[in-house]
Amino acid sequence: MKSFNLFLNTRKLTSSREDHLTEFLAAMIMMNEQFNSDFSKLLLGEYAFRHGWETPFISVAETQVSYPGTNCCPDMRLTLSDGHVILCENKIEAPETPGSSTDPRGQLLRYLDLPIDGLIYIRATPSRSLAPQVREHPLFISCDGHHFLWRDIYP
């Protein structure tokens, strides 16, 4: 299991609130079994049930994982106890990161091409610019057809 030192992992992130949030969320997932269970069921329960997976439980939460050769570095890679891999992109108010000249697709479309079993997108407010190709993608994990909001997680 990866050890978490929140002070060392986040001291360089004071100007990057979303990365700071991600580090603390990953630590909560790995350090608090009840939070892990509740978070897993809330975000993945229905999706896992529809796909015939075991009850979801996150066994590993990794942050800022780079996928070489893809220009992809999602906020979190969650490996479930049954081996399924879920990516999670966290935003506070920032928009989805746009593509580049080599790959003009937004970050979420690029993530959906990676070898994963699902993608979660969490924001503070509803995104009006979420591409239909993302929203309707079979690997996009949604809450009533929309991305998750932080207020969904507060309880």
Side-chain angles (χ1 to χ4, degrees):
M1 177 194 298
K2 178 182 175 183
S3 64
F4 283 91
N5 185 326
L6 290 175
F7 297 104
L8 292 178
N9 290 354
T10 64
R11 70 180 173 191
K12 64 183 179 292
L13 302 175
T14 55
S15 64
S16 181
R17 296 181 327 171
E18 290 163 359
D19 291 344
H20 201 246
L21 168 72
T22 295
E23 290 294 335
F24 277 84
L25 180 58
M28 282 290 295
I29 290 168
M30 295 309 301
M31 297 171 73
N32 186 307
E33 189 171 330
Q34 186 62 54
F35 180 84
N36 183 329
S37 178
D38 292 346
F39 184 82
S40 298
K41 287 175 190 170
L42 175 71
L43 273 64
L44 300 167
E46 183 180 322
Y47 186 81
F49 177 77
R50 282 196 325 258
H51 288 83
W53 300 354
E54 297 175 13
T55 300
F57 188 81
I58 299 165
S59 61
V60 178
E62 302 167 279
T63 59
Q64 308 303 321
V65 177
S66 181
Y67 285 79
T70 66
N71 195 27
C72 292
C73 186
D75 289 329
M76 290 194 304
R77 179 171 60 194
L78 308 172
T79 304
L80 306 185
S81 57
D82 63 5
H84 288 100
V85 174
I86 307 296
L87 298 182
C88 184
E89 183 62 25
N90 302 317
K91 298 290 186 187
I92 297 176
E93 289 297 334
E96 176 186 357
T97 304
S100 65
S101 59
T102 57
D103 188 348
R105 298 173 302 155
Q107 72 185 131
L108 298 178
L109 275 175
R110 292 192 315 268
Y111 295 172
L112 287 165
D113 278 347
L114 296 172
I116 61 170
D117 299 297
L119 172 67
I120 298 168
Y121 185 46
I122 309 173
R123 292 183 44 82
T125 57
S127 173
R128 292 177 183 86
S129 63
L130 191 60
Q133 303 95 311
V134 171
R135 200 172 43 250
E136 298 164 8
H137 197 285
L139 295 180
F140 185 67
I141 301 170
S142 64
C143 176
D144 298 325
H146 303 283
H147 63 79
F148 288 91
L149 299 173
W150 287 110
R151 67 178 175 235
D152 298 328
I153 297 165
Y154 293 161

